[in-house]
Amino acid sequence: MNKISRPLLITLAVVLVITALAMGLAVTHESGGMNGSLMFFDHDLSDSAFGWVIAIPILLLVAIIVAAVCAGAALITVVALVFAAIITVLALVLAMAPIAVFMAIPVLAIYGLVKLFQRQPSPAV
């Protein structure tokens, strides 16, 4: 396919899908028990495919905006949870620091004594 026919074919397929969806929604709108109506300038277009052809792109745009907002809220939530986890780990490390220092002083003293006794005496001059 060349560069012109592929986008044209995709556009035609999208228009056909929107038209088929509009026809289906227009036919089954009242039978589904939906009492809402599709109003444009004081005309009820709920039972016409033309009204749904107008409404479907608007509904898709709203769905995309809602998905973007939900994704942004999820991202903010994840960042907040990661930040809280990092702060918690940092607080635990800082809380353990005095205990680690308290335990390290005798361990280092014993290690220093062992190294001192392992040292070879230097020959007398």
Side-chain angles (χ1 to χ4, degrees), residues 1-20:
M1 282 193 206
N2 59 19
K3 292 182 179 181
I4 296 174
S5 63
R6 181 175 286 172
L8 189 61
L9 187 64
I10 291 171
T11 304
L12 181 63
V14 168
V15 168
L16 286 174
V17 167
I18 288 176
T19 304

Side-chain angles (χ1 to χ4, degrees), residues 35-57:
N35 294 328
S37 59
L38 187 61
M39 300 294 292
F40 285 105
F41 302 112
D42 295 333
H43 297 288
D44 186 12
L45 299 176
S46 301
D47 56 349
S48 74
F50 178 70
W52 285 105
V53 167
I54 294 171
I56 289 171

Side-chain angles (χ1 to χ4, degrees), residues 15-113:
V15 168
L16 286 174
V17 167
I18 288 176
T19 304
L21 185 60
M23 293 290 283
L25 287 171
V27 170
T28 61
H29 180 66
E30 289 300 322
S31 64
M34 297 179 0
N35 294 328
S37 59
L38 187 61
M39 300 294 292
F40 285 105
F41 302 112
D42 295 333
H43 297 288
D44 186 12
L45 299 176
S46 301
D47 56 349
S48 74
F50 178 70
W52 285 105
V53 167
I54 294 171
I56 289 171
I58 295 169
L59 293 172
L60 288 175
L61 180 66
V62 169
I64 290 170
I65 292 171
V66 167
V69 168
C70 289
L75 181 67
I76 290 171
T77 304
V78 167
V79 168
L81 288 175
V82 168
F83 183 71
I86 290 171
I87 294 297
T88 303
V89 168
L90 186 62
L92 287 174
V93 167
L94 289 176
M96 292 297 187
I99 297 170
V101 169
F102 183 72
M103 297 294 283
I105 290 174
V107 170
L108 289 174
I110 293 171
Y111 178 76
L113 284 174

